[in-house]
Amino acid sequence: MLKNKFISIIFCFILFNSCEEESKISFVEVKITTENNDSVEINIPEAIGDMTIAEVINSEINHTVMSALHIGDSENITSKSVEESIDTFNKEYKNFMNEFPDSAQVWNAEIDGEVIYQSDEIISVSISSYVNTGGAHGIFHISFLNFSAETGKRIPNGNLFNDITAFKNMAKTYFDTSIKDKSTLFEKDNFTLPVNIGYTEDGLILAYNVYEIAPYSTGLIDFTIPYEEADDYLVFKGSR
């Protein structure tokens, strides 16, 4: 009798662990396109596993992609899917060519994503886009999306830190080291944290998109703070 009870406990333990393993989130790379698409290339990660968590993560990733493809105010996105955004982008280009048939300008968009960090607490995804819709050059843009590994919900930057003021003061020293010519900055004496902060295997990465703090010619400005320096300020520890 005691032996059977022991076997039942072991079975329940194995079953519980098996269910926990199945509920973990993993990612696969997906290529998204449509039947008549010839201008847009998209390769992004898709969360799989616990569907409750995965759907929340994928919704945020897809919204970021749709924002990158949207022409005009990003607050007025009407597309219901990435595929619809692709078709709309191609339609806008055809309208442009109908209006300016002699134009040699070719529109194109390239969007790539990858999981740059994953732990039991936090998942960081990087989405980079290069969109060219005319003008002197296209625009490169990067977005870091931080998700709770338990719920899939997006974590605002402010919720990453237990003392954001102290972190900002520490981050400024790394920023000053990475900027060789401060005269290129819009406000050279006013340090602000970037919109994009993400976790990587090497440390916390901070990235300023073009036009965020400097002109287009300066390009993307980024630097990484090792976890041994950053962890004291982080709610979700990055060191292993």
Side-chain angles (χ1 to χ4, degrees), residues 113-182:
E114 63 175 324
V115 179
I116 56 177
Y117 187 87
Q118 184 171 5
S119 72
D120 293 338
E121 292 186 309
I122 191 166
I123 299 168
S124 287
V125 174
S126 171
I127 304 292
S128 60
S129 63
Y130 179 81
V131 179
N132 190 352
T133 57
H137 50 71
I139 297 295
F140 177 81
H141 189 275
I142 193 164
S143 297
F144 295 143
L145 312 179
N146 298 303
F147 301 100
S148 165
E150 294 183 356
T151 66
K153 292 183 179 180
R154 182 92 173 264
I155 303 173
N157 284 351
N159 292 355
L160 297 175
F161 305 101
N162 54 45
D163 189 339
I164 195 168
T165 300
F167 174 80
K168 180 180 175 182
N169 292 335
M170 186 268 294
K172 186 177 184 302
T173 62
Y174 283 86
F175 175 81
D176 290 340
T177 301
S178 67
I179 300 296
K180 295 181 174 60
D181 183 7
K182 282 194 172 184

Side-chain angles (χ1 to χ4, degrees), residues 61-126:
I61 292 175
N62 290 343
H63 180 77
T64 301
V65 172
M66 290 157 61
S67 295
L69 291 175
H70 183 70
I71 308 299
D73 188 353
S74 60
E75 297 296 322
N76 296 324
I77 297 175
T78 58
S79 297
K80 298 297 188 292
S81 67
V82 172
E83 288 82 0
E84 185 177 344
S85 289
I86 293 173
D87 286 338
T88 299
F89 185 90
N90 281 280
K91 181 180 178 181
E92 291 284 350
Y93 174 55
K94 290 178 181 177
N95 291 339
F96 170 80
M97 290 305 298
N98 288 334
E99 188 172 352
F100 304 99
D102 296 328
S103 174
Q105 179 65 50
V106 176
W107 287 21
N108 66 292
E110 298 177 17
I111 302 175
D112 293 290
E114 63 175 324
V115 179
I116 56 177
Y117 187 87
Q118 184 171 5
S119 72
D120 293 338
E121 292 186 309
I122 191 166
I123 299 168
S124 287
V125 174
S126 171

Side-chain angles (χ1 to χ4, degrees), residues 25 27 45-47 51-63 123 125 145 147-149 151-154:
I25 290 296
F27 291 85
E46 181 180 271
M51 292 308 299
T52 302
I53 300 173
E55 286 178 1
V56 177
I57 293 175
N58 291 332
S59 176
E60 284 285 349
I61 292 175
N62 290 343
H63 180 77
I123 299 168
V125 174
L145 312 179
F147 301 100
S148 165
T151 66
K153 292 183 179 180
R154 182 92 173 264

Side-chain angles (χ1 to χ4, degrees), residues 9-81:
I9 292 172
I10 294 296
F11 175 78
C12 290
F13 178 79
I14 293 173
L15 182 62
F16 175 79
N17 282 346
S18 174
C19 290
E20 281 219 319
E21 287 179 5
E22 290 177 2
S23 69
K24 289 182 179 179
I25 290 296
S26 58
F27 291 85
V28 295
E29 182 178 287
V30 294
K31 179 177 182 178
I32 304 178
T33 188
T34 58
E35 184 177 357
N36 298 313
N37 172 45
D38 55 9
S39 301
V40 180
E41 182 176 336
I42 299 175
N43 296 281
I44 55 173
E46 181 180 271
I48 58 175
D50 186 315
M51 292 308 299
T52 302
I53 300 173
E55 286 178 1
V56 177
I57 293 175
N58 291 332
S59 176
E60 284 285 349
I61 292 175
N62 290 343
H63 180 77
T64 301
V65 172
M66 290 157 61
S67 295
L69 291 175
H70 183 70
I71 308 299
D73 188 353
S74 60
E75 297 296 322
N76 296 324
I77 297 175
T78 58
S79 297
K80 298 297 188 292
S81 67

